Amino acid sequence: MTSIARAGGPRRAAEGPRYASGAGSICRVDGDVAYVVALCGLPGMGQATLRRLLETSPAQRRWAQVCAGTLAPAVLSRRVRVADARARLERWRETALDVDPDDVLRRAAARGVASHVLGDPTYPAVLARESDAPVVCFTSGGGALAGSTPGAPGGDDLERVAIVGTRSATHYGAEVAAELGAALGDRGICTVSGLAAGIDAAAHEGALASGATPPLAVVGGGVDVVYPACNRRLWARVSAAGTILSEAPPGGRPEPWRFPLRNRLVAAFSDLVVVVEAHRTGGAMHTVDAALARGVVVAAVPGSVRSPASEGTNALIADGSAVARDVDDIMALLALARASRPPARHLGRPAGAAQREGSATQGSLLASPPAGGDLASDPRGGEQEAAGGWRGGAARDLDAVILAALDERATGLETIVCRTGLGLGDAAVALERLVESGAIRRRAGAYERLARPIGLGSL
Amino acid sequence: MLASVPAATLLGVEGRPVAVEVHVSAGLPGFTIVGLPDAACREARDRVRAALLSSGLAWPLQRVTVNLAPSGIRKAGAGLDLAIAVGLLLATGAVEPEAASGCAFLGELGLDGSLRIVPGMLALVDAVVAGAVVVPLGSLAEARLVPGVRALGARSLSEVVDVLAGRGTWPDVPVTVPVPSSPEETGACSVDLQSVRGQVVARRAVEVAAAGGHHLLLAGPPGAGKTLLARCLPSLLPPLGPTEALETTKVHSAAGLALPSSGLLERPPFRAPHHSSSAVALLGGGTSSMRPGEISLATNGVLFLDELGEFPPSLLETLRQPLEDGSILVARARASIRLPARFLLVAATNPCPCGEGGRRGACRCSPAMRERYLRRLSAPLLDRFDLAVPVERPNALELLGEPKGECSAAVAGRVAAARQLALDRGVRSNAEIPSNHLDELAPLSGPARRLLVERVRSGELSARGLDRVRRVARTLADLDGTGEVVGAEHTALALELRSGREVLFGGRAA
């Protein structure tokens, strides 16, 4: 109970005024949608820049300025150097000259992509409350997305739980994610995830298997750009049964900078964030940070202390996050969050909230592990010797040589032998040992190093 | 006037004894052959007539009936020409009956009376019911491989007649007819392992395949050296033993392929049929003599299927039963025969139509295309491969700078020693160790057992896969000469040498 209170707390209570709808600050003219979408599609255009452009001038005029090349570099962030800003504006102009805004909108609609501009009745209500709400977002899929429609994925009255985690999930993680997705669906709770590989995909699979509640996917690239390709079928099914949402324009490539922003939206949409499996760093932790910044409860699924894929989640639990062992835990947490929501507007902050806020502003709960928490940094320190014969001292040396030759990219035995000069038999045994210890992973006949070699602290 | 001459005809790779009966009687001049001759056999009439006349012998203006007994089986080819001619000469009295008694005659006649070799001489000589056999001089070496039969050679019909009439002796010369040996038989087309740069893993896989008789699948992008590696195999295999050599020679002879001048194939054959080959060409049958197919020609050698994914799936499935039995039963309406087909299967395949195997940026195939391509290779067929090795393209350093690897001769030495160990165990090769003898013949060390248990428990290894891994590990231990117990390094490497299936098929064929 205490841990829940520490990690959770009142949702959007204290931040209420800060996250008040920013709709008023955008200059709006009827029929502007096409120009907003066209502006959004310019190369390197993020929602923050778009917002800065549209706060002072309607979209149609901005578009004309972009085409004419009369946009002042100062409208871009002050952090951008003037020369860079000019180069970007020039690139925009070149791109814009080939674009007909009406055509962009028509083609998007033809592909089943709907555009929602901040302030539209269809704009998701929960997003509108964000201080940095996207000026425009795009959706595809059967589930209607409407801020005011009861029960719609973007609406205010549907409860949503984000199930997030690592892309390199273990079998355990994928199973748990799918079970949770299905169980939540059965209880009428919308599963929010990122439609990435691993945990995300498993969660959506589970939600679809339940079939009772349409899931919501918040993706990094355009809603019509399948990424990763192995999710092609899942993508179509989510689109058919639920909603796919993105702030990237239709056809927008899944550029790396878009993913942290995507994670912020996942957190914004959710009443509860469940991390099923996470490495110590990675996208799932971005989502956790974003959730904590918004006062959204974060729960973690406990995992094996030997699994690198559970390092992040176990560390979250150690740092006081809520624990989600099964769907009942999640339902209890949701009930608490719900109970604390409406009255929280009038109540003061619960004890400990300030303290939590402190660590949240530092970026992450993980950034400041509890004093004396050395355990988390090397949970398997002296485990290796215990297992006897084939893990002797000489074996450890071999393992070290192999580990030094590996990185996060998949590497075949051939290359490993070339790099290390080891015999085939020795290398094969050492690889087998390392896979078992969890320091590396075998996939499709190749090996890759996992985030942190376990039990080889000397390296 | 009646004469009977022993001869033989070929069916599959075996000979069937045939008695050529010639009856000459008064009546309208004519020549009839009865007893199920095929077209080539029926045409013997014209060849025999021309050969007799060319040799200065008389053609009887009488009624001649030739019966090929037993008349129930089909007689194929021209191998009975000489027997018919000699029978005719005996029946007309041109040759004394005693001169030819107990002697069989095999060979095709030219219009000029010359004797020509026929396919399957080894099997034919083996089948004749006679103490001596006269064959074309070109086949004498081959015919002499058969014990218990005195083989005699002749160049022409007139030479045969001269000897039978007591005017000369059999020419006992070494074969003067030059026999063109195809490079495959002499091993000239086989590549030395030294010419393979880099490819440490694949080289070892080829060595293991040679030593243990394990079927090998090489998977990798074009230009990685899969074909080159496969072509190295013949240079690693030990020469054929006496029984194997005779068996293989019989098949090659029956298919009418050229044999080395010694008459005996002593190097393991290497057959690489193209993926457009028909089922009959691959499996055998088709002609009335049931010509052996490529899988039989590869007996005791290597069958190499390059571009495995391009072979029609139905054709590949037909290989499953011969792979299991070591022979193939070819059944036709007229006859069914068993052809030997015990070969080492080596296959090479690209991971997808473009060959790049899903490598980001390089592969131009959609996931659907890749899946369709790989679906041609069924799991049961893939199951037959003990070794499945991903072959990566060698990098520039390996191509240019690396010191050369071991030459074939050095590896062949180890292979021969390992093969001998298998023979000492009472199996032809380690790949044939029965599952119930694995514990006794391939005992595992503690760590090795631990490793396998881990893999089986995680579901990465099936029970059948486990046996295959243990056999390969046995071979690896034999090659290293580390004694009876199979260690962890051998087991781990054996698992590694299967990883190609993961590359190709993900978890589909575990």
Side-chain angles (χ1 to χ4, degrees):
Chain A
M1 183 60 212
T2 36
S3 68
I4 294 168
R6 277 183 61 208
R11 176 197 164 96
R12 295 171 195 136
E15 301 85 344
R18 200 145 60 85
Y19 289 140
S21 168
S25 60
I26 300 287
C27 286
R28 280 189 60 82
V29 175
D30 283 343
D32 241 9
V33 181
Y35 293 97
V36 175
V37 174
L39 282 171
C40 183
L42 293 174
M45 175 71 83
Q47 294 286 351
T49 313
L50 188 58
R51 171 179 280 265
R52 203 169 306 114
L53 283 178
L54 299 184
E55 265 167 355
T56 47
S57 188
Q60 190 166 3
R61 193 180 309 153
R62 284 302 188 194
W63 181 259
Q65 285 175 334
V66 167
C67 290
T70 54
L71 210 55
V75 299
L76 298 178
S77 166
R78 247 173 289 142
R79 275 177 296 171
V80 181
R81 287 191 299 143
V82 176
D84 292 344
R86 280 190 204 288
R88 196 191 302 182
L89 290 176
E90 180 55 25
R91 210 163 64 233
W92 282 0
R93 196 179 65 83
E94 284 167 12
T95 315
L97 287 176
D98 296 334
V99 174
D100 171 16
D102 288 321
D103 189 43
V104 171
L105 199 61
R106 249 196 321 276
R107 267 188 295 152
R111 271 181 289 179
V113 179
S115 316
H116 315 274
V117 178
L118 187 59
D120 282 353
T122 59
Y123 191 89
V126 289
L127 278 196
R129 276 199 297 266
E130 290 284 301
S131 64
D132 53 350
V135 176
V136 59
C137 67
F138 305 89
T139 59
S140 80
L145 185 98
S148 49
T149 314
D156 222 356
D157 54 342
L158 182 74
E159 282 189 305
R160 284 171 300 265
V161 171
I163 300 182
V164 298
T166 175
R167 281 170 295 163
S168 46
T170 66
H171 193 61
Y172 160 75
E175 266 185 5
V176 170
E179 284 165 15
L180 291 180
L184 287 173
D186 289 340
R187 286 161 177 75
I189 291 163
C190 169
T191 297
V192 185
S193 199
L195 209 45
I199 299 293
D200 285 13
H204 279 307
E205 287 282 3
L208 288 171
S210 148
T213 318
L216 172 64
V218 185
V219 298
V223 294
D224 52 349
V225 181
V226 177
Y227 179 85
C230 61
N231 277 353
R232 188 169 296 279
R233 283 188 199 137
L234 180 65
W235 197 282
R237 286 167 57 212
V238 171
S239 178
T243 307
I244 302 181
L245 180 141
S246 174
E247 54 181 10
R253 289 189 298 115
E255 293 150 307
W257 58 270
R258 291 198 183 273
F259 284 91
L261 297 171
R262 179 276 302 266
N263 293 338
R264 153 189 73 103
L265 292 190
V266 169
F269 264 110
S270 308
D271 299 287
L272 176 69
V273 171
V274 179
V275 189
V276 178
E277 267 190 331
H279 294 275
R280 285 185 80 85
T281 55
M285 288 306 170
H286 284 135
T287 313
V288 169
D289 292 348
L292 290 172
R294 285 165 179 75
V296 176
V297 183
V298 174
V301 174
S304 163
V305 293
R306 297 186 169 189
S307 164
S310 288
E311 270 182 36
T313 41
N314 287 339
L316 277 176
I317 293 170
D319 290 351
S321 108
V323 180
R325 290 164 301 177
D326 52 19
V327 72
D328 295 333
D329 280 356
I330 295 179
M331 295 311 286
L333 290 168
L334 266 182
L336 281 172
R338 188 166 47 223
S340 64
R341 204 185 323 169
R345 291 183 188 279
H346 313 291
L347 291 175
R349 290 181 179 191
Q355 177 198 337
R356 185 202 66 244
E357 191 99 317
S359 67
T361 47
Q362 283 171 26
S364 165
L365 279 176
L366 295 178
S368 52
D374 226 25
L375 204 70
S377 67
D378 191 2
R380 296 186 63 199
E383 192 270 338
Q384 288 272 323
E385 281 79 12
W390 76 314
R391 309 191 144 182
R396 281 190 63 151
D397 293 345
L398 266 185
D399 293 358
V401 170
I402 296 250
L403 268 182
L406 278 175
D407 51 26
E408 278 71 29
R409 282 167 301 177
T411 311
L413 178 63
E414 176 81 35
T415 315
I416 295 171
V417 171
C418 277
R419 283 184 192 162
T420 58
L422 291 175
L424 277 176
D426 288 342
V429 175
L431 284 168
E432 203 63 45
R433 206 161 35 213
L434 286 168
V435 167
E436 205 181 298
S437 75
I440 61 173
R441 181 169 61 155
R442 182 192 311 108
R443 200 163 54 171
Y447 296 88
E448 58 195 64
R449 197 165 163 169
L450 290 178
R452 199 172 54 93
I454 289 178
L456 287 155
S458 55
L459 281 171
Chain B
M1 284 177 287
L2 181 71
S4 174
V5 179
T9 186
L10 189 69
L11 193 65
V13 295
E14 297 296 334
R16 302 277 174 95
V18 171
V20 177
E21 298 167 344
V22 183
H23 183 254
V24 179
S25 65
L28 276 177
F31 191 104
T32 326
I33 300 178
V34 298
L36 274 187
D38 76 348
C41 193
R42 200 187 305 279
E43 289 157 1
R45 184 182 62 177
D46 299 315
R47 283 193 300 270
V48 169
R49 181 168 179 270
L52 282 175
L53 294 176
S54 305
S55 308
L57 298 159
W59 179 256
L61 290 174
Q62 287 167 295
R63 179 159 192 82
V64 179
T65 308
V66 176
N67 179 38
L68 309 173
S71 42
I73 61 167
R74 189 101 180 152
K75 282 61 166 202
L80 299 173
D81 284 6
L82 181 60
I84 293 173
V86 171
L88 195 61
L89 294 171
L90 289 170
T92 54
V95 173
E96 290 302 312
E98 298 77 36
S101 72
C103 189
F105 295 86
L106 296 167
E108 176 183 339
L109 285 175
L111 297 187
D112 58 352
S114 61
L115 266 179
R116 293 182 179 160
I117 58 174
V118 291
M121 193 53 84
L122 186 56
L124 294 175
V125 173
D126 201 18
V128 292
V129 188
V133 60
V134 177
V135 299
L137 204 55
S139 295
L140 189 59
E142 191 185 337
R144 286 197 168 151
L145 296 173
V146 181
V149 180
R150 190 162 155 250
L152 307 160
R155 290 183 200 89
S156 64
L157 179 61
S158 54
E159 204 168 65
V160 174
V161 173
D162 281 351
V163 177
L164 291 179
R167 287 193 295 270
T169 54
W170 299 109
D172 190 21
V173 285
V175 181
T176 48
V177 187
V179 178
S181 291
S182 74
E184 272 156 26
E185 268 79 28
T186 55
C189 85
S190 126
V191 183
D192 196 285
L193 202 53
Q194 206 163 24
S195 55
V196 180
R197 295 296 183 118
Q199 305 295 12
V200 192
V201 181
R203 285 168 63 107
R204 180 65 67 89
V206 169
E207 179 181 341
V208 172
H214 304 286
H215 301 309
L216 169 64
L217 175 64
L218 298 163
K226 303 186 292 292
T227 309
L228 190 66
L229 279 160
R231 292 202 174 271
C232 290
L233 250 176
S235 67
L236 303 183
L237 290 167
L240 298 175
T243 336
E244 293 172 328
L246 211 55
E247 185 182 33
T248 308
T249 307
K250 222 174 196 177
V251 179
H252 279 246
S253 161
L257 297 187
L259 297 173
S261 51
S262 69
L264 192 66
L265 273 176
E266 282 162 308
R267 294 294 312 163
F270 181 85
R271 306 295 303 180
H274 188 249
H275 55 73
S276 63
S277 304
S278 69
V280 164
L282 205 60
L283 305 174
T287 63
S288 54
S289 68
M290 306 276 242
R291 187 182 189 272
E294 289 293 333
I295 62 169
S296 298
L297 291 170
T299 278
N300 298 317
V302 178
L303 180 69
F304 176 46
L305 302 182
D306 207 352
E307 307 297 350
L308 189 69
E310 301 293 340
F311 279 83
S314 59
L315 196 54
L316 293 179
E317 297 311 303
T318 60
L319 292 180
R320 277 158 54 184
Q321 183 256 337
L323 277 171
E324 209 61 26
D325 298 349
S327 65
I328 179 166
L329 185 73
V330 181
R332 297 289 184 268
R334 279 181 205 284
S336 75
I337 50 155
R338 189 166 282 282
L339 298 170
R342 196 183 320 100
F343 51 85
L344 174 59
L345 178 60
V346 179
T349 185
N350 293 331
C352 67
C354 85
E356 299 297 335
R359 201 163 310 149
R360 196 171 296 172
C363 183
R364 298 183 300 274
C365 310
S366 70
M369 279 166 76
R370 247 189 333 265
E371 193 163 313
R372 209 175 315 126
Y373 189 77
L374 294 176
R375 213 182 302 144
R376 297 171 142 240
L377 311 178
S378 74
L381 177 70
L382 289 172
D383 236 22
R384 305 295 196 277
F385 290 100
D386 291 354
L387 302 166
V389 187
V391 184
E392 296 164 19
R393 281 203 193 98
N395 60 34
L397 197 69
E398 287 169 351
L399 285 176
L400 298 172
E402 282 277 297
K404 284 186 176 179
E406 272 181 305
C407 65
S408 282
V411 179
R414 282 201 300 275
V415 168
R419 287 243 166 199
Q420 189 54 46
L421 284 173
L423 288 176
D424 294 345
R425 281 184 200 109
V427 289
R428 224 184 328 248
S429 65
N430 285 339
E432 296 182 17
I433 297 179
S435 299
N436 52 353
H437 286 76
L438 271 174
D439 281 335
E440 161 204 339
L441 297 179
L444 294 168
S445 73
R449 177 176 301 280
R450 203 173 106 70
L451 205 104
L452 287 175
V453 166
E454 196 63 41
R455 281 288 186 109
V456 173
R457 194 178 292 157
S458 71
E460 286 172 83
L461 194 61
S462 67
R464 200 198 316 224
L466 176 68
D467 286 352
R468 292 186 176 271
V469 168
R470 290 184 68 182
R471 292 191 189 105
V472 173
R474 172 75 271 166
T475 305
L476 281 165
D478 288 354
L479 283 169
D480 282 358
T482 51
E484 270 314 293
V485 178
V486 175
E489 67 271 29
H490 305 126
T491 316
L493 187 53
L495 285 166
E496 198 60 53
L497 292 180
R498 275 166 61 88
S499 62
R501 32 203 303 139
E502 292 174 44
V503 178
L504 285 176
F505 313 104
R508 190 159 72 87

